[in-house]
Amino acid sequence: MTGRYDRLTRQTFALVTVGVTFWNPIQALAADPAGSWRQTYDTVMMWVNFIILVTLLVKFLRQPLRNFLNKQRDAVKDTLDRLEAEKCRIDEDIRSLQGDLEDRKQKAADLHQRIVAQGEDERRDIIETARQEAERRLAKAHQLIEAHHREACQVLRNEMVDIAIHLAMQEFSKHMTPAIEQTLTDRFLKTVADRRP
């Protein structure tokens, strides 16, 4: 505290010395030669009053003004620190949100790829199922066609046999005599009897 007081005293003394040194010669030059001592006294007293005023202001206002300025500095510093912390938090939130956004984009891309792959699998399954169903129906149609073909062939054979028998009967009846008929019947019965065990 004494260091500050000594410095204040030195500053006040220097201020007074400089003021008096420069003011008195200027006043002396500006004063008229017939001037009275009253003007010089008023000037000196004005300076003395000024120095006393400055000294009192420095003595009594210095600490409150310093405290006020320190409080203002601390308040500004606290506000800046708070704003800097808020800025850091907001920056961190932004980075976090950007990270979340990138994660969600990646998840959406993965989900899209999975859905596309699943759709492709289902499409292949549907095509394979349809192909198998078509092959099954085609095979069944071939079987039905083959069955109808065999049946038609059998019907055609039967009709051909019937027609052949009918034609043969007509031709044989023209040429058949009772003696030929008896001979054929005997041969048939003999063949049947030979085949029996």
Side-chain angles (χ1 to χ4, degrees), residues 151-169:
E151 186 179 325
C153 286
Q154 185 64 36
V155 168
L156 184 61
R157 269 190 236 120
N158 291 341
E159 287 179 0
M160 285 174 63
V161 167
D162 288 344
I163 290 172
I165 290 174
H166 180 66
L167 288 174
M169 290 299 280

Side-chain angles (χ1 to χ4, degrees), residues 30-176:
D32 63 53
S36 68
W37 63 271
R38 181 77 182 161
Q39 278 185 332
T40 306
Y41 176 76
D42 287 343
T43 302
V44 170
M45 287 312 290
M46 180 182 68
W47 276 103
V48 169
N49 286 336
F50 176 71
I51 291 169
I52 291 170
L53 178 65
V54 168
T55 304
L56 289 173
L57 286 175
V58 168
K59 180 167 176 72
F60 292 112
L61 290 180
R62 184 175 182 192
Q63 193 61 36
L65 185 62
R66 179 176 287 159
N67 291 341
F68 173 74
L69 292 176
N70 285 340
K71 285 180 184 177
Q72 290 299 318
R73 183 191 65 210
D74 292 343
V76 168
K77 185 176 183 259
D78 290 344
T79 303
L80 288 175
D81 290 344
R82 184 179 51 79
L83 291 175
E84 185 66 29
E86 185 72 17
K87 180 183 172 255
C88 290
R89 187 188 62 77
I90 290 172
D91 288 344
E92 185 63 33
D93 289 346
I94 289 172
R95 282 192 294 274
S96 174
L97 289 174
Q98 286 173 340
D100 290 346
L101 181 63
E102 289 300 320
D103 289 345
R104 288 183 183 186
K105 282 182 182 178
Q106 184 62 39
K107 286 179 183 177
D110 292 344
L111 181 62
H112 176 70
Q113 287 176 350
R114 256 190 321 219
I115 289 172
V116 168
Q118 186 178 5
E120 285 295 319
D121 290 344
E122 288 179 5
R123 183 181 69 84
R124 279 194 294 272
D125 290 345
I126 289 170
I127 290 172
E128 182 62 26
T129 303
R131 187 186 61 75
Q132 289 173 356
E133 182 67 20
E135 287 177 358
R136 187 183 61 77
R137 287 185 180 187
L138 188 60
K140 189 173 182 181
H142 283 311
Q143 288 174 352
L144 286 173
I145 290 170
E146 189 65 32
H148 286 307
H149 181 263
R150 280 195 303 266
E151 186 179 325
C153 286
Q154 185 64 36
V155 168
L156 184 61
R157 269 190 236 120
N158 291 341
E159 287 179 0
M160 285 174 63
V161 167
D162 288 344
I163 290 172
I165 290 174
H166 180 66
L167 288 174
M169 290 299 280
Q170 285 178 353
E171 283 299 315
F172 282 142
S173 62
K174 290 179 190 173
H175 300 291
M176 185 67 78

